[in-house]
Amino acid sequence: MKVVIQRVSEASVTIEGQIKSSINNGLLILLGIEDADGKEDIEWLCRKIAGLRIFNDSEGVMNLSLKDVGGDAIVVSQFTLHASTKKGTRPSYIKAAKPTVAIPLYESFIKHLETEIGQEVGTGEFGADMKVSLLNDGPVTIIIDSKNR
């Protein structure tokens, strides 16, 4: 499982002109799922994300987690995180899990993250054409791969 985490002042997901989710202070999480991913990847990543100290404390030092600041989160499925660009100019997505595998893992990831941070998480819609808008705060952008612990 790969995630791109962006600390945001605001973020939203729009599908067919309708806002599906929106947040203020928090994290926009782009989630890429591959066939080899499972429950252990979900648990490890959600624990890591919830505790990641990337929010400023009163002295302006990144010393607080999403849980500490009571921040919000949006999780958006993004199979393109598993793009292989080794050959040619057209990326291959062969490592990205098919919907039958990815959807249950995506849904489990959301539920597990909600448990970790103690609140509801906004989402996109798996497989939809989404417009993701964000105001990156910092900017702070972190990439984590559960296979590189």
Side-chain angles (χ1 to χ4, degrees), residues 1-68:
M1 238 172 228
K2 289 183 184 179
V3 291
V4 174
I5 301 166
Q6 296 181 298
R7 186 179 77 181
V8 298
S9 297
E10 60 187 59
S12 65
V13 178
T14 303
I15 302 168
E16 295 181 4
Q18 301 292 319
I19 295 176
K20 169 94 164 91
S21 298
S22 65
I23 62 169
N24 288 313
N25 185 45
L27 299 177
L28 172 65
I29 302 162
L30 305 175
L31 173 66
I33 300 169
E34 65 180 342
D35 287 328
D37 293 330
K39 182 179 177 184
E40 290 176 0
D41 297 284
I42 291 169
E43 291 172 353
W44 182 83
L45 263 177
C46 289
R47 208 170 32 254
K48 177 69 88 175
I49 291 167
L52 206 58
R53 297 180 350 181
I54 59 173
F55 291 90
N56 295 343
D57 62 17
S58 60
E59 296 178 19
V61 177
M62 286 196 291
N63 207 20
L64 300 174
S65 69
L66 184 65
K67 288 175 14 176
D68 294 333

Side-chain angles (χ1 to χ4, degrees), residues 1-4 29-39 41-42 45-46 75-83 92-111 125-127 144-147:
M1 238 172 228
K2 289 183 184 179
V3 291
V4 174
I29 302 162
L30 305 175
L31 173 66
I33 300 169
E34 65 180 342
D35 287 328
D37 293 330
K39 182 179 177 184
D41 297 284
I42 291 169
L45 263 177
C46 289
V75 178
V76 176
S77 176
Q78 189 167 351
F79 73 93
T80 60
L81 292 180
H82 287 289
S92 168
Y93 304 106
I94 197 148
K95 284 186 71 177
K98 303 292 184 256
T100 55
V101 171
I103 291 171
L105 291 173
Y106 170 71
E107 291 171 351
S108 180
F109 182 93
I110 292 162
K111 287 184 172 110
E125 184 177 309
F126 193 92
I144 304 175
D145 187 333
S146 66
K147 303 300 187 236

